[in-house]
Amino acid sequence: MRYTFAIGDIHGCIDPLNRMIDQVEAYAPEGTVVFLGDYVDRGPDSKSVLDRIIAGPSGQWSWICLKGNHEDMMVAAYADSDSRDVWMSNGGLETEMSYDGRVPSQHLQWATDRPLMHVDRHRIFVHAGVVPEFPLERQTKRDLLWLRFPPGESSDYWGKHLVHGHTPSLSNPVTTGNRTNIDSACVFGGKLSCAVFDDDAPGGPIDFIEVKA
């Protein structure tokens, strides 16, 4: 059996991230890990989080690192001074403090290059959400990075299960119909959550891994 592990919003929380990676690697000898974005901002150590994520996996593991709205804001803040205040008010100050100054160009380029979506045979992985009224290939960047679902909302999502973060809650991870939200508010005193999927079976998670902040 092969697994895909989807990890929710990290927001500069390096210790939960390191413990989560250890638990995922203890769960199976290999597999795919999809990080759903928001590695930076608000938490105390965005630099260490990006250093660890960029260093990549060990052994036979494959990592897919999606872009979150906070990476998008960070990149925009360095590209356009008019965007800096928006980033600062959303946790950018803590990120720059973790670097003792400016975010280096290598990390900005890495954030720029992140994909917005990962689709496999049974599931769609995005940071925030999708609009089911439009085809998957016509989803906007803003929706993929910023959309929030009303409580209880689900759809058929083109016959796949939707996996996302972005909307934090201490009660997450929660599966609602064909949709699973794994943003468990790690940076707000919650936990870092990971949804475990059987690559050969359609539908929602078969398990969750949770690490206290």
Side-chain angles (χ1 to χ4, degrees):
M1 183 182 295
R2 283 189 59 88
Y3 301 102
T4 293
F5 301 81
I7 296 177
D9 304 40
I10 301 163
H11 282 300
C13 298
I14 185 61
D15 181 60
L17 172 62
N18 284 331
R19 286 185 283 131
M20 177 62 76
I21 292 171
D22 288 344
Q23 290 205 31
V24 167
E25 292 181 347
Y27 196 100
E30 61 181 3
T32 300
V33 178
V34 182
F35 294 93
L36 297 183
D38 278 10
Y39 314 101
V40 302
D41 297 350
R42 297 196 173 117
D45 210 344
S46 293
K47 178 185 183 299
S48 292
V49 168
L50 285 191
D51 283 340
R52 179 64 191 93
I53 296 287
I54 291 171
S58 59
Q60 300 300 308
W61 289 89
S62 173
W63 285 6
I64 297 166
C65 304
L66 302 183
K67 182 184 289 186
N69 62 307
H70 282 263
E71 286 76 56
D72 199 54
M73 284 190 288
M74 179 178 72
V75 170
Y78 279 85
D80 175 9
S81 59
D82 291 341
S83 301
R84 183 169 175 80
D85 287 347
V86 174
W87 183 49
M88 286 290 110
S89 66
N90 281 280
L93 177 61
E94 291 88 340
T95 294
E96 288 197 330
M97 288 174 62
S98 76
Y99 284 93
D100 294 324
R102 294 176 61 84
V103 179
S105 58
Q106 300 96 315
H107 283 192
L108 292 172
Q109 189 61 55
W110 181 88
T112 299
D113 292 342
R114 293 308 89 210
L116 299 177
M117 183 188 311
H118 173 65
V119 181
D120 65 18
R121 182 161 51 131
H122 298 302
R123 280 160 281 270
I124 300 165
F125 301 87
V126 297
H127 176 64
V130 296
V131 178
E133 290 79 11
F134 293 95
L136 195 55
E137 63 273 13
R138 290 182 57 198
Q139 301 295 312
T140 68
K141 176 181 176 181
R142 180 167 184 81
D143 285 334
L144 295 173
L145 293 180
W146 288 94
L147 184 72
R148 295 197 190 277
F149 292 96
E153 180 175 307
S154 182
S155 185
D156 64 4
Y157 304 117
W158 309 277
K160 297 179 184 288
H161 191 86
L162 179 67
V163 188
H164 68 94
H166 180 61
T167 302
S169 174
L170 295 175
S171 63
N172 286 337
V174 169
T175 296
T176 305
N178 296 316
R179 176 174 68 84
T180 298
N181 180 356
I182 55 173
D183 184 355
S184 301
C186 182
V187 75
F188 300 118
K191 55 189 179 288
L192 184 62
S193 290
C194 171
V196 184
F197 299 93
D198 179 347
D199 287 356
D200 294 322
I206 61 168
D207 202 359
F208 291 109
I209 304 172
E210 299 177 355
V211 172
K212 291 289 186 181

